Amino acid sequence: MCGVVGYIGDKEATSILIDGLEKLEYRGYDSAGLAVFHDGGIQIRKYKGRLSILAENIAEENLSSKLGIGHTRWATHGEPSDRNAHPHTNVAGNIAVIHNGIIENYMKIKEWLIEEKKIQFKSETDSEVIAHLIDHFYEGDLLQAVYKAIDKMEGAYAIGVICKDEPDKIVAVRKDSPLIVGIGEGENFLASDIPALLKYTRDMYLIENDEVVLLTKDKISIFNALGQEVKRDVFEVTWDAQSAEKEGYQHFMIKEIHEQPKGIHDTLMRRLDKDNNIILDGIKLTKQDLEKINKVYIVACGTAYHAGLVGRFAIEKFAKVPVEVDVASEFRYRDPFVDENTLFIAVSQSGETLDTLAALREAKRKGARIMSIVNVVGSSVARESHDVFYTWAGPEIAVASTKAYTTQMIAMYLLALYMGRTKNTIDKAYYDQTIAELKTMPDKVQQILNHVGEIQQLADAQFNNESVFFMGRGVDVNVAHEGSLKLKEISYINSFAIAAGELKHGTIALIEDGTLVVAVATQHHLFEKMLSNIQEVRARGAYVVAVAKESNKEVEKTSDIVMYIPDTMDELAPVLSIIPLQLLSYYIAVARGCDVDKPKNLAKSVTVE
Ligand code: F6R
């Protein structure tokens, strides 16, 4: 969601800014712009639409510059338009600002600026107030003016600021919105996410909340909220730039679907010793800790929430503790029943989702033990948790989450099994059997991926549907929810997931001739019930695509098409049954000509409320 890039050095700033913003396109945006020093002043170029529009517009002019800031905007306040795009400036145009996040009290500041300072605003954004506020406080020292301005600002922000009168620096601030600094030689960089800078450096500083950064070409100074300089260890990015490239795949999403065997393998094997014991390393969940815990909350958003639903199933099954799963935007406002005997598990790919972070803080405030399952090392959720279980999915670029989801489920299973063994709620034989089966998951996922042709054919035949229903029972209904979200977010088909037993209580009214129903039917003890539900919808004309284990041929009798997954324990079936659904969504979206990696209205990392 929005992208921030900054450069100061001896190279051409515009091309570095455009290149960096390109690497952040996956986050989702609707307009792009930049501000550079050129010809003794600040030049701003900004356009609604794709970054390529900005690049084409500046290609013909000479905007030679050694310093600049660039931005991709995802509209929150004010429609996507040229004038609402960033950077924004003060009236004189000598201070330029880019901003990710939301200034919650912008209206109050804006009214004051209009009444007291007679400022005429050029945009409808909250961000423009920042430029005017900095201008108001500016007395020849940009850093001090920025400090005074942020003192008046409430909300979440990562900002980058340049000033005509101080053409040798960029000032940046982070508050609840990610910001990193790239360390170069005779040049330095600013960005909201690592891929933007990987072409230029692997050495980064991860900026923390309430910190202010002063960048010159030879020096990076980081200050805390009190203005004291702080020391920061260099964070070396170990994954390669290629991980953030498409490597011949048509889209990041399909590449990431195919990376799942590796992500699952890595997440699993980093936590197992040679005797199949689960090693939690830095995570300090002792037997006493676990005995104290009488309730678990799993809180997340979107796909990560769906992984949390599978986590509830696993923890209740293996560790016999009651678990509640909630979406973060609800949890944070419902005064949840949390105390020091609560284990709060936040699940987040990016580790920057604002709702999840706010829910975590709320639980922490009430005394809960905070654990997170996070993919991005050093992210905010990770840093604010007592314990972190990292997933090893590698960078996920496509907006639609796939490999993060499967690795989140693996992390959940491991955590649940660890809790179960430590509390002695599962015996060794069952534990050994489950771990052995978990270790077959990378191969079994690969087997599904080896047969994408059949799913592609199905997608080609079904892409014209305007609505699709997903259903399942038991843990399968969680997979149905994730399958439905995948489909709607990238293909814009109106899809809906439901517990199959609930159908007859209302939703079945919507089933008519030709309605596509995807039935996830992997659970042995619920299979007969699922068959009845399939028959119910077929009797009303539905076209049923089932997901079932390969030894279960009976499902063919009641379904139009079956997408088979390799046989596995019922408990672990979600790891496999989601794969055909991801593939089906992907190929349907491709057949509909959708922009798969950058679906409309969506952003990769949702850092606003
Ligand atoms: C859907 C998707 C989103 C995210 C959600 C949480 O494919 O990607 O629903 O799962 O925005 O994001 P994270 O996991 O970064 O907290």
Side-chain angles (χ1 to χ4, degrees), residues 377-391:
V377 177
S379 55
S380 304
V381 169
R383 280 185 284 168
E384 296 195 26
S385 301
H386 298 123
D387 299 297
V388 188
F389 192 127
Y390 281 112
T391 47

Side-chain angles (χ1 to χ4, degrees), residues 301-304 347-351 353 399-401 408 485-486 489 606:
C301 305
T303 287
V347 190
S348 176
Q349 187 285 127
S350 61
T353 303
V399 165
S401 184
Q408 282 160 354
L485 178 63
K486 267 322 61 106
E489 67 181 326
V606 185

Side-chain angles (χ1 to χ4, degrees), residues 244-258:
E245 304 284 344
K246 279 194 219 145
E247 290 171 15
Y249 285 95
Q250 196 187 345
H251 298 102
F252 279 113
M253 182 177 174
I254 189 69
K255 174 185 173 239
E256 288 162 6
I257 288 174
H258 280 270

Side-chain angles (χ1 to χ4, degrees), residues 93-310:
N94 54 10
I95 293 172
V97 173
I98 48 174
H99 165 224
N100 282 2
I102 289 182
I103 307 301
E104 283 166 6
N105 60 340
Y106 87 101
M107 209 25 125
K108 214 168 111 203
I109 301 174
K110 188 170 176 172
E111 279 164 11
W112 178 81
L113 286 164
I114 292 171
E115 273 163 36
E116 298 292 320
K117 309 269 302 173
K118 310 291 172 234
I119 303 282
Q120 287 194 349
F121 275 76
K122 290 168 284 199
S123 76
E124 298 144 306
T125 65
D126 53 335
S127 313
E128 191 183 337
V129 300
I130 307 171
H132 299 298
L133 255 192
I134 295 173
D135 178 41
H136 169 71
F137 289 116
Y138 188 71
E139 289 173 341
D141 184 339
L142 184 61
L143 184 65
Q144 288 315 315
V146 168
Y147 261 106
K148 287 181 183 157
I150 59 174
D151 190 45
K152 304 281 176 229
M153 285 155 44
E154 287 164 19
Y157 44 85
I159 59 175
V161 190
I162 59 174
C163 172
K164 176 174 175 264
D165 299 335
E166 298 179 58
D168 57 346
K169 63 181 69 155
I170 301 176
V171 176
V173 189
R174 175 202 164 132
K175 182 167 181 280
D176 288 336
S177 191
L179 190 70
I180 54 160
V181 166
I183 310 163
E185 274 183 30
E187 58 182 356
N188 287 309
F189 307 82
L190 184 73
S192 47
D193 204 356
I194 291 171
L197 305 185
L198 269 186
K199 190 167 153 190
Y200 308 101
T201 178
R202 293 173 158 278
D203 291 340
M204 318 262 172
Y205 289 129
L206 305 180
I207 305 306
E208 302 209 348
N209 259 347
D210 298 316
E211 286 182 343
V212 179
V213 190
L214 177 62
L215 291 185
T216 66
K217 78 196 237 318
D218 298 309
K219 193 161 181 236
I220 299 163
S221 314
I222 306 173
F223 304 97
N224 63 17
L226 302 173
Q228 297 151 333
E229 189 155 358
V230 290
K231 280 244 155 295
R232 180 67 25 86
D233 291 338
V234 174
F235 176 82
E236 198 202 331
V237 181
T238 49
W239 41 273
D240 50 26
Q242 268 190 344
S243 309
E245 304 284 344
K246 279 194 219 145
E247 290 171 15
Y249 285 95
Q250 196 187 345
H251 298 102
F252 279 113
M253 182 177 174
I254 189 69
K255 174 185 173 239
E256 288 162 6
I257 288 174
H258 280 270
E259 284 170 346
Q260 290 179 110
K262 182 172 182 327
I264 292 171
H265 172 273
D266 291 354
T267 304
L268 201 54
M269 297 319 286
R270 277 168 208 268
R271 292 288 178 188
L272 291 179
D273 71 8
K274 61 178 183 14
D275 299 318
N276 281 348
N277 296 309
I278 295 169
I279 310 299
L280 288 189
D281 274 348
I283 302 174
K284 303 164 284 293
L285 269 188
T286 61
K287 195 167 173 16
Q288 286 97 310
D289 290 336
L290 287 175
E291 264 154 17
K292 219 181 82 180
I293 288 163
N294 57 20
K295 178 163 199 182
V296 178
Y297 273 106
I298 305 177
V299 176
C301 305
T303 287
Y305 166 75
H306 295 151
L309 293 174
V310 176

Side-chain angles (χ1 to χ4, degrees), residues 360-407:
L360 178 159
R361 288 175 183 159
E362 173 66 6
K364 204 173 185 180
R365 195 180 61 76
K366 292 185 160 177
R369 172 79 172 255
I370 311 291
M371 159 158 317
S372 58
I373 294 178
V374 177
N375 195 41
V376 178
V377 177
S379 55
S380 304
V381 169
R383 280 185 284 168
E384 296 195 26
S385 301
H386 298 123
D387 299 297
V388 188
F389 192 127
Y390 281 112
T391 47
W392 283 84
E396 192 179 63
I397 306 291
V399 165
S401 184
T402 53
K403 60 179 182 169
Y405 172 71
T406 39
T407 56

